[in-house]
Amino acid sequence: MPTDWLVRPAQTTDKEGVERCLSASYSELLQNDYPPEVLERTLPLMTTARSELLECPTWYVVVHPDTNEIVGCGGWTRHAPNEPNNNDQLCPHLRHFATDPRYARQGIGRALWQRCWEGICEMGAQTRIEAFSTLTAVPFYESLGFGKVKKMEVCLGCGSDPVDFPSVLMERRPG
C-alpha cells in the first residue's frame, strides 16, 4: 500500500534530520557508482545540510507520516548553485535530492518532484529545468522526463581543498 508522504518546506531546525538522511542515502546508494576514495573525500561535503537550502522556501523535507522522521529531502532554486540570481532569466535547478535507503523506490523522490513541479508552475515558468545528477540518480531523473546533456565535474568544497565530483547535467524542456 503506497504511503502518503508529508512534503513540507525545510526549516533550520531540520538540520540534524536532513544530515542523517543525506548521510544514509549517499553513503549507501552511491557506493556502486563511485570509487571508495572519491566517496571518502566527498561524503563529508555532500552530507552537510546547507543553510541556504534549509532557509529556502522551495527546498523540502519528506516526513514519514507515522514516525515524523525525515526520510527524504530536495527542492529547487531559481538558478544553479554558484550562479548569479538574475530574476529576469529563470532556470529552475533541482537541488540536493536524497532518499533514506530504507524507503528507496517508495515514491519519496517523485513526491519531492511533484512539489517542485507545482512550485515551478506557480511561478509561470514554462522553461527548461536543470539538475546536476549523481551517476546513481540518472535513471530517476530520466523517469521524470529529464535527458542527459553532458558529463561534468561538480566542484565540492571549492576553496581551500576543492574536490571534483563526477556528475551529469540533466535537463527537462517544456512540452
Side-chain angles (χ1 to χ4, degrees):
M1 180 166 192
T3 302
D4 288 328
W5 300 110
L6 171 62
V7 181
R8 64 165 173 77
Q11 304 167 357
T12 55
T13 56
D14 293 324
K15 181 177 176 29
E16 185 178 309
V18 166
E19 288 182 346
R20 188 173 26 257
C21 180
L22 291 169
S23 182
S25 178
Y26 294 159
S27 62
E28 184 172 326
L29 299 177
L30 300 183
Q31 63 184 320
N32 291 330
D33 296 303
Y34 293 92
E37 58 274 9
V38 170
L39 292 178
E40 184 178 323
R41 290 197 66 208
T42 58
L43 284 176
L45 301 167
M46 295 171 58
T47 59
T48 299
R50 299 177 63 144
S51 60
E52 72 268 17
L53 295 179
L54 291 172
E55 296 168 0
C56 179
T58 58
W59 199 78
Y60 310 102
V61 294
V62 179
V63 178
H64 194 291
D66 297 329
T67 65
N68 286 329
E69 179 183 16
I70 293 174
V71 295
C73 58
W76 66 281
T77 55
R78 295 179 60 87
H79 301 280
N82 302 321
E83 284 188 8
N85 187 359
N86 180 347
N87 289 330
D88 296 334
Q89 291 186 302
L90 173 67
C91 181
H93 190 90
L94 299 187
R95 302 280 302 271
H96 224 165
F97 269 55
T99 298
D100 184 312
R102 296 174 297 166
Y103 302 99
R105 304 198 57 76
Q106 294 185 33
I108 290 172
R110 193 159 293 274
L112 284 164
W113 162 249
Q114 188 61 42
R115 184 67 177 266
C116 291
W117 179 245
E118 290 167 5
I120 292 167
C121 289
E122 284 174 12
M123 294 203 58
Q126 291 300 320
T127 184
R128 69 185 171 91
I129 303 167
E130 293 181 340
F132 296 156
S133 175
T134 64
L135 303 176
T136 307
V138 167
F140 166 70
Y141 288 110
E142 288 176 330
S143 77
L144 301 176
F146 284 75
K148 296 178 200 172
V149 175
K150 65 179 180 179
K151 290 186 176 181
M152 59 185 291
E153 303 282 325
V154 172
C155 183
L156 301 177
C158 292
S160 62
D161 189 23
V163 180
D164 288 331
F165 185 73
S167 303
V168 177
L169 174 59
M170 306 287 294
E171 180 181 81
R172 187 173 195 259
R173 293 214 172 256

mmCIF file of all heavy atoms in Angstrom, residues 4 6-7 36 38 48-49 53 81-82 116 130 134-135:
data_model
loop_
_atom_site.group_PDB
_atom_site.id
_atom_site.type_symbol
_atom_site.label_atom_id
_atom_site.label_comp_id
_atom_site.label_asym_id
_atom_site.label_seq_id
_atom_site.Cartn_x
_atom_site.Cartn_y
_atom_site.Cartn_z
ATOM 1 N N ASP A 4 1.366 7.911 2.038
ATOM 2 C CA ASP A 4 1.108 9.321 1.764
ATOM 3 C C ASP A 4 2.190 10.125 2.483
ATOM 4 O O ASP A 4 2.072 10.437 3.667
ATOM 5 C CB ASP A 4 -0.278 9.734 2.273
ATOM 6 C CG ASP A 4 -1.394 9.153 1.434
ATOM 7 O OD1 ASP A 4 -1.190 8.982 0.211
ATOM 8 O OD2 ASP A 4 -2.468 8.859 2.000
ATOM 9 N N LEU A 6 4.444 13.098 3.711
ATOM 10 C CA LEU A 6 4.241 14.504 4.052
ATOM 11 C C LEU A 6 5.435 15.285 3.525
ATOM 12 O O LEU A 6 6.574 15.053 3.949
ATOM 13 C CB LEU A 6 4.119 14.676 5.566
ATOM 14 C CG LEU A 6 4.122 16.108 6.085
ATOM 15 C CD1 LEU A 6 2.928 16.879 5.531
ATOM 16 C CD2 LEU A 6 4.122 16.131 7.597
ATOM 17 N N VAL A 7 5.202 16.168 2.569
ATOM 18 C CA VAL A 7 6.250 17.011 1.998
ATOM 19 C C VAL A 7 5.988 18.438 2.480
ATOM 20 O O VAL A 7 4.906 18.973 2.271
ATOM 21 C CB VAL A 7 6.237 16.961 0.454
ATOM 22 C CG1 VAL A 7 7.349 17.829 -0.118
ATOM 23 C CG2 VAL A 7 6.354 15.527 -0.040
ATOM 24 N N PRO A 36 35.624 4.122 -3.684
ATOM 25 C CA PRO A 36 35.693 4.500 -2.261
ATOM 26 C C PRO A 36 36.508 5.758 -1.998
ATOM 27 O O PRO A 36 36.137 6.561 -1.145
ATOM 28 C CB PRO A 36 36.340 3.279 -1.597
ATOM 29 C CG PRO A 36 36.075 2.149 -2.529
ATOM 30 C CD PRO A 36 36.018 2.735 -3.908
ATOM 31 N N VAL A 38 36.813 8.399 -3.838
ATOM 32 C CA VAL A 38 36.011 9.580 -4.185
ATOM 33 C C VAL A 38 34.990 9.846 -3.081
ATOM 34 O O VAL A 38 34.834 10.976 -2.617
ATOM 35 C CB VAL A 38 35.317 9.404 -5.555
ATOM 36 C CG1 VAL A 38 34.303 10.507 -5.802
ATOM 37 C CG2 VAL A 38 36.348 9.362 -6.674
ATOM 38 N N THR A 48 26.414 17.437 4.498
ATOM 39 C CA THR A 48 26.207 18.596 5.369
ATOM 40 C C THR A 48 25.002 19.378 4.849
ATOM 41 O O THR A 48 24.946 19.727 3.674
ATOM 42 C CB THR A 48 27.457 19.499 5.374
ATOM 43 O OG1 THR A 48 28.562 18.738 5.874
ATOM 44 C CG2 THR A 48 27.240 20.724 6.229
ATOM 45 N N ALA A 49 24.046 19.604 5.718
ATOM 46 C CA ALA A 49 22.866 20.392 5.341
ATOM 47 C C ALA A 49 23.286 21.830 5.106
ATOM 48 O O ALA A 49 23.916 22.450 5.966
ATOM 49 C CB ALA A 49 21.796 20.307 6.419
ATOM 50 N N LEU A 53 19.786 26.248 1.771
ATOM 51 C CA LEU A 53 18.682 25.385 1.345
ATOM 52 C C LEU A 53 17.670 25.204 2.476
ATOM 53 O O LEU A 53 16.457 25.225 2.236
ATOM 54 C CB LEU A 53 19.200 24.037 0.852
ATOM 55 C CG LEU A 53 20.062 24.097 -0.416
ATOM 56 C CD1 LEU A 53 20.555 22.700 -0.797
ATOM 57 C CD2 LEU A 53 19.303 24.740 -1.574
ATOM 58 N N PRO A 81 23.548 26.243 -8.490
ATOM 59 C CA PRO A 81 24.448 26.718 -7.444
ATOM 60 C C PRO A 81 25.572 27.570 -8.036
ATOM 61 O O PRO A 81 26.053 27.300 -9.127
ATOM 62 C CB PRO A 81 25.027 25.435 -6.846
ATOM 63 C CG PRO A 81 24.169 24.335 -7.339
ATOM 64 C CD PRO A 81 23.482 24.800 -8.574
ATOM 65 N N ASN A 82 25.951 28.578 -7.303
ATOM 66 C CA ASN A 82 27.064 29.466 -7.668
ATOM 67 C C ASN A 82 26.809 30.293 -8.922
ATOM 68 O O ASN A 82 27.733 30.827 -9.512
ATOM 69 C CB ASN A 82 28.373 28.675 -7.818
ATOM 70 C CG ASN A 82 28.713 27.934 -6.559
ATOM 71 O OD1 ASN A 82 28.520 28.440 -5.458
ATOM 72 N ND2 ASN A 82 29.184 26.714 -6.702
ATOM 73 N N CYS A 116 8.052 20.208 -6.308
ATOM 74 C CA CYS A 116 8.886 21.153 -7.063
ATOM 75 C C CYS A 116 8.162 21.615 -8.319
ATOM 76 O O CYS A 116 8.112 22.813 -8.614
ATOM 77 C CB CYS A 116 10.213 20.501 -7.448
ATOM 78 S SG CYS A 116 11.319 20.176 -6.077
ATOM 79 N N GLU A 130 16.957 22.274 -14.815
ATOM 80 C CA GLU A 130 18.229 21.575 -14.773
ATOM 81 C C GLU A 130 18.421 20.856 -13.443
ATOM 82 O O GLU A 130 17.806 21.204 -12.435
ATOM 83 C CB GLU A 130 19.391 22.564 -14.916
ATOM 84 C CG GLU A 130 19.489 23.228 -16.244
ATOM 85 C CD GLU A 130 20.678 24.173 -16.315
ATOM 86 O OE1 GLU A 130 21.201 24.612 -15.258
ATOM 87 O OE2 GLU A 130 21.094 24.452 -17.447
ATOM 88 N N THR A 134 23.891 12.904 -9.653
ATOM 89 C CA THR A 134 24.915 11.898 -9.411
ATOM 90 C C THR A 134 24.780 10.846 -10.508
ATOM 91 O O THR A 134 23.726 10.743 -11.169
ATOM 92 C CB THR A 134 24.735 11.217 -8.043
ATOM 93 O OG1 THR A 134 23.491 10.508 -8.044
ATOM 94 C CG2 THR A 134 24.789 12.217 -6.897
ATOM 95 N N LEU A 135 25.800 10.050 -10.698
ATOM 96 C CA LEU A 135 25.712 8.956 -11.666
ATOM 97 C C LEU A 135 24.589 7.999 -11.272
ATOM 98 O O LEU A 135 23.884 7.458 -12.125
ATOM 99 C CB LEU A 135 27.052 8.215 -11.753
ATOM 100 C CG LEU A 135 28.271 9.069 -12.117
ATOM 101 C CD1 LEU A 135 29.541 8.229 -12.076
ATOM 102 C CD2 LEU A 135 28.088 9.744 -13.463
#
